[in-house]
Amino acid sequence: MVPRLRHPMPDYFRDALNARGLMNAYLARPPYQQNDYIGWIVRAKLEATKQKRLDQMLDELERGGVYMKMKWKGK
């Protein structure tokens, strides 16, 4: 099996997490979720789509129990 590409965290992504006080919530997620969120957001072609996805991730982290609009029980 080929390992997944590991996406580096962009500065705007880090800034958004810190601005909302959600870095700890993000880091508490499994590595695959952290990587999936970054990849999903940076692959957006339009800035509006990128912002919409970033907002969705931030809302999910704030709310807890949700990952990519699916229920997630966490640790």
Side-chain angles (χ1 to χ4, degrees):
M1 181 191 286
V2 177
R4 290 173 148 206
L5 173 65
R6 189 82 173 136
H7 301 286
M9 184 184 292
D11 290 338
Y12 71 86
F13 192 98
R14 180 178 289 106
D15 293 345
L17 287 167
N18 287 326
R20 296 263 297 259
L22 294 170
M23 184 60 80
N24 287 338
Y26 174 79
L27 294 174
R29 294 295 179 112
Y32 79 90
Q33 286 188 14
Q34 294 175 29
N35 195 50
D36 285 352
Y37 272 133
I38 294 172
W40 178 58
I41 292 166
V42 301
R43 279 192 310 271
K45 292 184 183 4
L46 301 174
E47 281 301 315
T49 305
K50 187 180 293 186
Q51 188 61 52
K52 180 180 174 185
R53 291 176 181 184
L54 181 62
D55 290 342
Q56 178 184 322
M57 179 199 69
L58 295 169
D59 291 344
E60 289 177 0
L61 291 172
E62 195 167 62
R63 193 171 55 224
V66 181
Y67 167 66
M68 300 279 190
K69 295 186 178 182
M70 298 177 286
K71 288 184 183 179
W72 179 71
K73 293 188 182 200
K75 294 180 182 180

